Amino acid sequence: MKKILVIDDEQPTLKMFTLLLEAMGFSVLTAEDGRAGVDVFRDERPDIVFTDIKMPVMDGIEVLRNIKEINPHAEVIVITGHGDMELAIQALNLDATDFINKPVQRQALSQALQRAEERLALSRTEQTQVSLEEEKDKAVLHLRGNVTGLTGTFLQSSFSRAAALGHGCIELRFDENASINGAGITTLTDLLGDFREKGGRVLITGLSENFRTVFDMVGITRLAEFGDGSH
Amino acid sequence: MVRRFERASLKNKLMLSMLVGILLISATIAFIARWILVSSLTNELEQRGAAIAHSVAERGGSCILDNDIPRLLSLIFDERRLHERKKLVSYIVIEDQHGKVLAHTMTRRLPPAVLAHELPQDLRQSIQLVDLDGEAVYDIAAGINEGLYRIGTVHVGLNKSHIDSLVSKLRVAFLGFISGVVVIAFFLSNRLSRNITKPIRDLTAIADEISRGNFDIPIEASAPDDGWDFSDCPAYPNSDLPCWHFDLSHTERPDRMPEEYRNCRRCVFYSKREGDEVTQLADSFRNMVWSIRLYRHRLRESEEKYRSLFDSGPDPIFVVDCESGRVMDANPRVEELYGYSRDELRLMSYTSLAPENYQECLDHFDDGGGCIYFPKAIHYKRGQAPFFVNMHACPISYRGRHAIIVAVTDITEMIEKDAQLIQAGKMKSLGEMSAGIAHELNQPLNAIKMGSEYLMMVEETGQDIPARQRLEVVAEISAQVDRASGIINTLRSFGRQADLVTEKVDINGPVRAVLSLLRRQFELDNIRFRLDLPEGLPAIKAHGNRLQQVVFNLVTNARDAINDGSDPGDKAGERVIFIRTQASGGSVRLEVGDTGPGMTEEVRGKVFEPFFTTKEAGQGMGLGLAISYGIVKDYGGEVQIESEPGAGTVFRLVFPAA
């Protein structure tokens, strides 16, 4: 039974999270502010952390920073107000693995949980996160798990190899569970920009709704076409 | 009699006095002269009679001794007929010592009355008035003596009527003389008094003409032979020139301030000629008439000026009678603005146009107050359409009645603009708040969403949960819906445009409303609120949602000040906004303080100026406090600031309790 820590200053929200997550079969820890949340994390080492970003005393960004100091591989999902993308990206830059919008939908919650669990499984198996294959008219880059600054160099070399195949079209096929942080996004933006200048096409498929929104925000959508992922 | 004399004209008085004086003097002289003349004439005649008697006695003595009666007779006849004596002497009678008549000149029988008059022995002569057959005669008896002995008596009768006729001639002469004197005196005094009183009569006639309003009459008594001309007066053509400007005493005493000149001591324009009192009077009169003319002229000009101001001024002006409250006069702008004709207005009561403030106005004037100003009063046009005015009222005397002059400025447009500005400011505040409000609304929505998702999931998966838990979730959902609608209601009341009419507001209401929207947002910024909002404060007359805007503005300014002083992440800086309300002595106070860096005196003096801002460019318009100040002023309140650099800031709003 996986332990989940929920940090939010809203008592009703905590109550509902507890009910939902317990009904989904997790054991739930709660904290009403960031500082208490970090303490609980340190003591309990939960698998997944949900934290609200806007909180008094210690906000979610600070919580994220503290938790990442304790455990850089912790799965931290930030809860943002709807359309509050700046904060979401800021959180991604601090290696939040995912974000979820308030009001929290069951579907989005279960997807986020699913992705987190998959990533947890991945990081344990330490599978390669970027792989290249060639299809008949394009190069396909598979992306799994967490695309971070750590995978940046690997992503760059893979991308150059894909470009070298000379199809003029590269598909970035994200896994369901894939998440991408700020450094990853920066790397990707540079790569796509260069490739586009050379006259190449990029197709992005399989990206979760959340990250599509992020890509919209940072302008990657202007550099690439989005597919529905059905290939 | 005396009163009649007093009522008589000066001319008649003069004349009468002169006449009476002259008459008294001449009559006295006449009587004295007559008395002296008549008595001396009578005396003289008697003397003459006595002399005749004595001369007869002298010459007749020998005849009596000789008893020569014929000689005696011829003697007395001669004496009687001598010259003009025959008119005077009526008879001569000689009797002897025994009283026997020796001779007489009578042609008739001797009347006994003559003989009844006897001369006593010791007297030389005696005079007695005797009646001679109806004729009064002075009988002079003189003794005829020979040596020591009396030998007879001579009686000479003097005709009294002759004497009387002489005397009456004298009298007539005197009476004629006196009459002549009187006539001459009458004419003289008449002329004299007329000459004296003529200038006065002329001046009276002129004064009468002036009282009738006719100023264009020459003052004959002072024909301007000294080159004096009205048009030379510099104050005449230019009514803006103060008249005392031409007072020569100003040059004599330059240390005096012009304010002291209410009266000119020596006008440069007035002239006095050498001459008698009448001339002096005429000159004074001329100067006086000129002064009246000058001031009438200036008065008319000024009246025309003000009348034209009244008629053509840009603002409506009423003249209202204090007692009846009726409109006595109104200028054309009133007709335009209020939509009534002047005749209609004259029949109207002022209070039907402006029900507010009238009584207050009257009370104020009764206490001896001067002009009074009512901002933002509500007046009514035709059809009872309300509009806003600023109103000045001053007490005046109009046609002899106590009246109020009311000048009105239509500020409806300004009020509308004001309301629009306030509304715009509110919209801006709402914009600033939107992120916070979205966050605030998101919390209950999130709880509702998750609660309902939970219930759905439980239904779909067929999990068995305790009924208590289900109830708890549903109750929570319901509570969160209430919370969300509370936020929406607050927003709605904040965004609503205020009515024109103020309501009674508990000052804590707007504070709580604003806090419900901002509190969490501020706490996310690590700003704490310290509240002291006691219950049961007196209400104030205001608009709740405008006050919300004021509070919002003060609170957000406090937040910005705190953020200027320290960062949200600072553990050191105290980040507190305290809000206190209290009531004291008929006023209600609201204090909003912060622990920010405070203000310098220079900034403190400017904070209420529009477009003054201490924020960085693009961060603030600098209208918030200006609008807030206007709103507070509208409710008769004031704003005080306590601030020192480094010691935070307190804004204190003081409202009069309703």
Side-chain angles (χ1 to χ4, degrees), chain B residues 35 51 92 201 302 342 349 366 422 522-523 573 609 614 655:
Chain B
W35 178 71
I92 300 176
R201 277 208 318 279
S302 128
R342 190 179 283 203
S349 160
D366 285 344
I422 289 172
F522 279 37
E523 285 174 347
E609 289 176 14
T614 55
F655 296 97

Side-chain angles (χ1 to χ4, degrees), chain B residues 10-165:
Chain B
L10 182 63
K11 177 188 142 204
N12 292 347
K13 279 181 194 169
L14 270 175
M15 217 174 83
L16 206 69
S17 318
M18 282 187 205
L19 269 181
V20 167
I22 289 168
L23 270 179
L24 277 175
I25 291 165
S26 55
T28 314
I29 289 170
F31 279 113
I32 289 170
R34 211 198 77 177
W35 178 71
I36 289 170
L37 279 175
V38 169
S39 62
S40 60
L41 179 74
T42 318
N43 243 344
E44 182 60 32
L45 288 172
E46 282 170 2
Q47 289 293 336
R48 276 173 69 182
I52 293 167
H54 283 296
S55 81
V56 168
E58 286 283 326
R59 286 172 16 210
S62 60
C63 297
I64 291 170
L65 285 178
D66 296 343
N67 213 356
D68 187 354
I69 296 307
R71 235 188 69 201
L72 203 60
L73 265 175
S74 72
L75 176 74
I76 58 175
F77 269 104
D78 286 350
E79 279 290 343
R80 186 177 165 254
R81 285 179 188 153
L82 195 69
H83 312 299
E84 69 286 352
R85 281 182 194 169
K86 49 181 178 287
K87 275 187 186 148
L88 177 66
V89 180
S90 119
Y91 61 84
I92 300 176
V93 177
I94 298 176
E95 55 184 5
D96 64 6
Q97 66 219 55
H98 307 295
K100 183 171 161 275
V101 177
L102 300 176
H104 66 89
T105 59
M106 291 281 207
T107 51
R108 57 182 191 268
R109 207 180 56 85
L110 194 67
V114 180
L115 301 180
H117 178 214
E118 286 183 10
L119 181 72
Q121 280 298 327
D122 51 352
L123 283 181
R124 274 194 70 229
Q125 65 177 53
S126 98
I127 299 175
Q128 197 174 16
L129 191 65
V130 297
D131 183 38
L132 195 69
D133 299 333
E135 262 187 272
V137 174
Y138 287 106
D139 184 74
I140 301 166
I144 305 168
N145 297 337
E146 192 60 47
L148 287 170
Y149 302 100
R150 175 170 295 182
I151 56 173
T153 311
V154 178
H155 286 270
V156 175
L158 293 181
N159 206 340
K160 185 170 182 289
S161 64
H162 178 67
I163 294 174
D164 283 351
S165 77

Side-chain angles (χ1 to χ4, degrees), chain A residues 9 15 19 102 104 106, chain B residues 443 446 460 469 476 520:
Chain A
D9 56 332
K15 193 194 277 181
L19 287 170
K102 266 187 178 182
V104 178
R106 187 167 31 129
Chain B
Q443 305 293 1
N446 183 46
E460 286 166 9
Q469 202 172 10
E476 186 65 60
R520 277 196 47 79

Side-chain angles (χ1 to χ4, degrees), chain A residues 171 174 176 203-207 212 225-231:
Chain A
E171 181 182 340
F174 284 90
E176 274 288 278
L203 192 66
I204 295 177
T205 53
L207 191 65
R212 233 178 122 147
E225 298 161 37
F226 277 82
D228 54 2
S230 57
H231 40 266

Side-chain angles (χ1 to χ4, degrees), chain B residues 558-607:
Chain B
R559 176 200 56 195
D560 295 340
I562 289 173
N563 284 340
D564 279 350
S566 59
D567 284 331
D570 269 4
K571 304 288 178 285
E574 194 195 10
R575 298 166 61 81
V576 178
I577 296 175
F578 48 89
I579 303 180
R580 265 198 298 268
T581 55
Q582 59 187 119
S584 61
S587 66
V588 180
R589 294 155 174 244
L590 164 67
E591 286 180 11
V592 176
D594 62 56
T595 55
M599 289 187 263
T600 61
E601 189 159 350
E602 188 196 359
V603 172
R604 241 193 351 255
K606 284 189 184 169
V607 285

